Structures are given as structure tokens and as C-alpha cells.
Amino acid sequence: MALQAGIVGLPNVGKSTIFNALTAAGAESANYPFCTIEPNTGIVPVPDPRLKQIHSKIATDRVLPATVEIVDIAGLVKGASKGEGLGNQFLGHIRATDAILHVVRCFDDGDIIHVEGSVDPIRDIETIDFELVMADAESVDKRLKRYAKPAKSGDKEAKAQYELAEKMKLVLEEGVPLRRGEWTEDEWELVLGAQMITSKPVMYVCNVDEEGITGEGDLVAKVREHAAGEGSGVVLICAQVEAEISEMDEEDQTEFLADLGLEEPGLARLARETYTLLGMETYFTAGEKEIRAWTYRKGWKAPKCAGVIHGDFERGFIRAEVYTIAALLEHDNEAGLKSAGKLRVEGKDYVVQDGDVMHFRFNV
């Protein structure tokens, strides 16, 4: 599955520096607004120690982790929804993503320009939220016009979409992102189908300096409180430190992180948290050619998970042979798993569990 998260925030909060470290894609980064003109896209691996565990028992040609696609767009400013700065041309890039990574500046540095002249993460969050709400309000107005006539003529689907648009309009007029509105399960499915920006889950990425890397500063505390109030997540990143780490080999990284009191780069946490934010889990396939992590949505059954590999696997699904990584570590290989009765056969109603190692049988 192609999972995509968009990085948003005011100019000069560290979006492109974080993107560069995440993807090593070389996006331009400069100390002035709007240095990013076209959206930059990169593929980021999701760190997963379970791949190494499987590889310790199964020899293979390659090991492939799950991935998330990250899109970095130009910084948004007040009035972006009405064309200020580089305008709302960039808001369309956010609509295509599955989640939003909202980068917030949580450090003071007089040498780095802030478009508002001071550092206030909650004000900055509210500025971006307002522009995204206004952009959605414009989209909702278009939907109302589109569905008005067919809804009046008795088209049931158009009527449902029109009524939904009316409700979305009321929420947005209160200045509230759609993700914080009150919806029935059926309504929420329609809201998600409408691809509104403020319906997407949000992860706040606090860009701190090296002194704030432990996350104990007042600015980070304010963001945590705000995020808790709306059920969003928070990840701390020191963009400059991550940029340095991304250029080191593994041994130097380990030593550098130890000096900072960290066990892993902040970007590893960000990639994993983004994956979790999207409600995704991982199953694995393992053999002589490759060990691979596959992405699926929590609650999916075996045939649908098989379809992630190829549509023929889902259409011709017969059964799945399944074992756990813990069982593999105990019994060394598939022969040992079979002897110990730890290799299960599951049918079409099996709900796949995070961390399952699977082999699918299917008819072509």
C-alpha cells in the first residue's frame, strides 16, 4: 500500500531540513520563506527490529522494510487559503495525502527568521489550522453547488452528500477542523471519501534545538497539551541533529546518539509513529529470495492482506500458513515450526495479527 504523509508548517520551521534527513532527497533548504516551490517527495523506510529477528533465522538475498511516502510542500502563511505567499496551489498537494505531519518550531534562535517575528507554537498551529479550515470551507461550498440540483431531483446519493456538506460547513464555520467534529460512523466514511484536508489525522512534529532534545521545555509542553486536547500525537525532532546523523555511518551514529542520551534517531520514531497514525500494521513474508514487511490496515482478514502482494492472491485465496516470530526464534526454521506444531493453517475469516509471518496458497 502506498501510504503518504504531507509535511506542513509555517516557513522556516524546519520542514525541508527534516524532509532532507528523512529521505536524503536533497530538497533545497534555506533561511528565507518559500525556498520550496514544488513539492518534494521521498520514500522513507519504517524501522522495524523484527526484520533482523527473522533474518537471524532465515538466510535471504534481501530484506525490505515497510515504507511511507513523505511529501514536503512550501511553508504556508496567513492568507494562504486566499492566495497569500505562494498561495493555495500547495493546499492541493496536502489533499492527496493520508496524514499530516505538522512541523512546529519549538526553539529560540535569533539567527533564524520567523515570519511572525517571535516563537509561539500554539499561535503557529492555529495559523495553519485556520488556513486549512478555510481551504476546506471553499471545497465544501463547491460540493454544495455540485449536489444541490441532483439532491432536489431525488437522487439519494446526491442528497446524502449534500446533507453531509451542510454539516461539514457548520463545523468549519466554527473554525473547527473536521477531524474534531462529531460524526456517525457512516458520516465519517463519507467525510474521508471527500478528501478534506482537516479530516486527516495529524502528528505534531516539535522541532527543538539540542538543549530541548529531552522534550522538557515549555514550548514542547504547550504543544503536548494542545495535541492531547484533540487526540493527536507528538514527536520531538532536532532537525539539525538529524541532518548530521543522516550523514554518518552506523557506528558513528550510535556513538553520537549515546552522547546525546538517545537510543535511536528521532526520525526513526517519526517514521514509526506516522505508520501507526495511519492505522497500519505489518505482516511479513520470508524466504530465500527476500524477507519483506507488508502494510495492511488493522482488522483486515487474510484474503485482503494477500491482495496487498497481488490481486490474484486475494481472488484465488485458498489458505494462509502462519507463524509468529517468537516461535521462529525458538524453533529456528520452518521445519522446526512444523515439528512443534507452531505453523498454523488459517482460512478466509482469519484476522491477520501485527507481526504474523505468512505464506499464502492460492489458485491462479
Side-chain angles (χ1 to χ4, degrees):
M1 298 178 66
L3 303 177
Q4 195 177 70
I7 299 179
V8 303
L10 292 172
N12 297 343
V13 295
K15 301 185 315 304
S16 293
T17 303
I18 290 171
F19 174 82
N20 289 349
L22 269 170
T23 66
E28 181 184 6
S29 180
N31 184 25
Y32 56 89
F34 315 127
C35 69
T36 305
I37 297 177
E38 292 298 329
N40 299 291
T41 302
I43 304 297
V44 180
V46 180
D48 194 328
R50 295 175 295 184
L51 286 166
K52 286 186 177 180
Q53 291 178 323
I54 298 170
H55 196 201
S56 70
K57 297 296 183 180
I58 298 178
T60 191
D61 292 339
R62 57 181 183 170
V63 178
L64 300 174
T67 59
V68 176
E69 187 173 308
I70 303 294
V71 179
D72 174 35
I73 69 165
L76 301 173
V77 295
K78 283 183 179 179
S81 59
K82 301 298 182 183
E84 291 296 322
L86 287 176
N88 58 11
Q89 59 179 303
F90 297 105
L91 296 175
H93 299 303
I94 308 172
R95 292 192 190 282
T97 65
D98 301 298
I100 292 174
L101 305 179
H102 188 158
V103 180
V104 186
R105 179 171 164 178
C106 292
F107 65 92
D108 285 306
D109 187 336
D111 292 331
I112 300 178
I113 300 164
H114 191 292
V115 292
E116 295 291 344
S118 62
V119 177
D120 183 341
I122 303 305
R123 177 203 60 206
D124 294 352
I125 289 171
E126 290 173 349
T127 295
I128 296 296
D129 276 351
F130 178 80
E131 295 306 326
L132 300 184
V133 163
M134 290 299 99
D136 274 353
E138 184 178 337
S139 295
V140 166
D141 284 339
K142 291 178 181 177
R143 293 179 71 84
L144 286 169
K145 292 176 182 177
R146 184 195 316 167
Y147 291 112
K149 189 173 180 179
K152 287 181 180 178
S153 67
D155 185 313
K156 290 184 179 180
E157 183 176 347
K159 187 173 184 294
Q161 290 288 357
Y162 185 82
E163 290 174 351
L164 177 75
E166 286 186 312
K167 185 170 181 179
M168 287 194 291
K169 185 177 179 67
L170 291 174
V171 173
L172 294 168
E173 283 178 343
E174 294 293 323
V176 176
L178 294 174
R179 65 181 177 274
R180 290 164 54 188
E182 295 184 5
W183 311 97
T184 66
E185 188 173 334
D186 289 342
E187 286 174 338
W188 185 238
E189 286 299 315
L190 292 175
V191 172
L192 293 178
Q195 279 202 315
M196 294 291 155
I197 299 172
T198 64
S199 69
K200 301 179 188 301
V202 172
M203 177 74 68
Y204 292 105
V205 183
C206 294
N207 185 14
V208 299
D209 57 18
E210 196 168 325
E211 292 180 1
I213 208 164
T214 58
E216 298 174 357
D218 292 340
L219 297 177
V220 171
K222 290 179 180 179
V223 176
R224 290 190 191 279
E225 183 179 358
H226 178 88
E230 63 174 39
S232 295
V234 175
V235 172
L236 265 65
I237 296 288
C238 178
Q240 285 306 126
V241 166
E242 298 298 329
E244 292 178 41
I245 291 173
S246 68
E247 297 178 356
M248 298 177 182
D249 59 33
E250 188 172 347
E251 184 176 340
D252 288 341
Q253 278 189 18
T254 301
E255 184 178 342
F256 184 62
L257 288 168
D259 289 342
L260 293 172
L262 301 175
E263 294 182 0
E264 64 178 353
L267 295 177
R269 295 192 303 276
L270 178 57
R272 276 201 306 272
E273 291 296 331
T274 300
Y275 193 72
T276 303
L277 178 68
L278 293 169
M280 309 312 295
E281 293 186 335
T282 303
Y283 74 83
F284 303 93
T285 54
E288 292 181 1
K289 291 185 178 181
E290 68 177 30
I291 296 170
R292 184 163 182 167
W294 298 91
T295 301
Y296 71 96
R297 196 166 296 281
K298 185 176 182 179
W300 279 10
K301 294 182 179 180
K304 195 164 186 177
C305 286
V308 173
I309 300 175
H310 196 287
D312 287 347
F313 283 31
E314 181 174 7
R315 287 186 290 272
F317 180 88
I318 300 173
R319 66 182 182 274
E321 297 171 357
V322 187
Y323 60 87
T324 66
I325 295 173
L328 174 65
L329 294 176
E330 182 180 355
H331 299 287
D332 294 328
N333 51 44
E334 288 194 8
L337 290 166
K338 288 178 182 178
S339 297
K342 296 295 184 179
L343 186 66
R344 311 189 314 271
V345 176
E346 302 287 358
K348 293 181 178 181
D349 292 330
Y350 176 66
V351 178
V352 175
Q353 300 299 302
D354 184 50
D356 278 349
V357 185
M358 309 188 75
H359 179 69
F360 297 106
R361 300 293 183 182
F362 64 98
N363 286 319
V364 177

